Amino acid sequence: AVYFLLLKDSFSINGKLIFCKGNSADLETMAQNYCSSKDECTFDEINEYVSSISGESNRQLSFKAAYEQLVRIDRDHFVSENQVFFDIDEIDKAISKFFVRDYLPLQDVISFVMFPYCGHAWNRFLLESFCFRFSKKFSLLLKSFNNKNAGVIIKKESNLNYNEVLIDAIAHSGMKFDVEIIGDYLYNNGYIAKKRLGNMPELITQAQEIKEDK
């Protein structure tokens, strides 16, 4: 109330932050700065900080800041980059052995025997971080950050976007082109974190067109 009555002409507001006109208070940058100051922390700590400056929980902003500044070593914990030692070329070689097409659901990586030790035990959360920021050959595609390892590793040379991957996966699934059946297929195979997508009918239509052209 005080802001709107007395301060709005000279100050701007962003979440719980008030700052002079002409300056900016970028919540994402502040979240990244918080993450970069940590040697290790939990996701809950990051999200609590974001909530304290924005006035509400924003899990996707918290995840994005964490992935861009830290390395996720398990479901709940992140560490600084200097606590992980990636042999990038050897890790890329290990990942490439799982590929059949230009993309690979994270959940299809079922063994880390071929992965060189990096200071922490390998798991899919660590693999996500590696592909998101460190790999030379692969990128991580996600509908949104999640705790289910739902997402896709993609060859950088392919330039496919997330929807194009889903369309291709649907076209080659061998499943009936039904919204519920395809939703279950994509969810159970780790492409998506939720069974229902708002644009599922459009994805299926485009997948049908690909199938009919062959």
Side-chain angles (χ1 to χ4, degrees), residues 77-93:
H77 297 89
F78 292 80
V79 300
S80 61
E81 182 180 337
N82 61 18
Q83 295 191 42
V84 184
F85 312 100
F86 287 134
D87 185 334
I88 294 175
D89 292 334
E90 290 301 312
I91 297 169
D92 278 345
K93 286 180 184 178

Side-chain angles (χ1 to χ4, degrees), residues 43 59 63 72-78 123 125 147:
F43 174 77
R59 293 177 63 84
F63 269 128
R72 192 177 190 179
I73 58 170
D74 59 34
R75 185 183 187 278
D76 300 311
H77 297 89
F78 292 80
N123 55 61
F125 295 108
N147 289 324

Side-chain angles (χ1 to χ4, degrees), residues 163 166-167 170 197 199-208:
N163 281 342
L166 295 183
I167 291 166
I170 294 168
L197 298 178
N199 64 338
M200 188 69 78
E202 291 82 1
L203 298 178
I204 291 174
T205 297
Q206 293 180 62
Q208 286 177 304

Side-chain angles (χ1 to χ4, degrees), residues 14-17 27 31 34 43-59 61-62:
N14 190 342
K16 291 185 175 181
L17 303 174
L27 298 177
Y34 174 84
F43 174 77
D44 285 345
E45 289 172 333
I46 299 168
N47 199 44
E48 285 172 9
Y49 172 77
V50 169
S51 298
S52 74
I53 61 174
S54 67
E56 59 184 2
S57 175
N58 188 330
R59 293 177 63 84
L61 191 154
S62 300

Side-chain angles (χ1 to χ4, degrees), residues 27-211:
L27 298 177
E28 186 171 328
T29 298
M30 294 179 69
Q32 289 185 19
N33 289 341
Y34 174 84
C35 290
S36 65
S37 72
K38 298 292 183 179
D39 287 328
E40 57 185 68
C41 62
T42 65
F43 174 77
D44 285 345
E45 289 172 333
I46 299 168
N47 199 44
E48 285 172 9
Y49 172 77
V50 169
S51 298
S52 74
I53 61 174
S54 67
E56 59 184 2
S57 175
N58 188 330
R59 293 177 63 84
Q60 288 304 304
L61 191 154
S62 300
F63 269 128
K64 189 171 187 295
Y67 271 77
E68 290 182 348
Q69 300 298 324
L70 300 167
V71 179
R72 192 177 190 179
I73 58 170
D74 59 34
R75 185 183 187 278
D76 300 311
H77 297 89
F78 292 80
V79 300
S80 61
E81 182 180 337
N82 61 18
Q83 295 191 42
V84 184
F85 312 100
F86 287 134
D87 185 334
I88 294 175
D89 292 334
E90 290 301 312
I91 297 169
D92 278 345
K93 286 180 184 178
I95 295 171
S96 67
K97 296 183 186 297
F98 290 93
F99 270 75
V100 176
R101 307 181 69 79
D102 285 342
Y103 56 87
L104 173 76
L106 272 162
Q107 293 181 18
D108 279 5
V109 181
I110 58 176
S111 171
F112 293 95
V113 172
M114 296 180 293
F115 285 65
Y117 183 65
C118 65
H120 296 272
W122 277 99
N123 55 61
R124 293 188 186 121
F125 295 108
L126 185 52
L127 179 61
E128 285 180 8
S129 269
F130 175 79
C131 292
F132 183 80
R133 194 152 65 92
F134 299 96
S135 175
K136 295 177 183 177
K137 294 184 177 181
F138 305 104
S139 298
L140 180 67
L141 290 181
L142 301 164
K143 181 71 173 178
S144 59
F145 292 104
N146 59 83
N147 289 324
K148 299 177 180 178
N149 300 130
V152 179
I153 304 170
I154 184 172
K155 294 180 180 178
K156 287 185 176 180
E157 63 192 31
S158 73
N159 294 316
L160 290 170
N161 63 39
Y162 185 72
N163 281 342
E164 289 169 339
V165 168
L166 295 183
I167 291 166
D168 191 75
I170 294 168
H172 291 89
S173 67
M175 308 298 289
K176 181 181 178 181
F177 291 129
D178 173 86
V179 170
E180 290 192 9
I181 292 173
I182 293 299
D184 288 343
Y185 170 81
L186 294 177
Y187 177 81
N188 291 334
N189 287 275
Y191 288 94
I192 57 179
K194 297 180 180 180
K195 291 186 177 183
R196 303 293 174 257
L197 298 178
N199 64 338
M200 188 69 78
E202 291 82 1
L203 298 178
I204 291 174
T205 297
Q206 293 180 62
Q208 286 177 304
E209 293 172 353
I210 292 174
K211 196 75 172 178

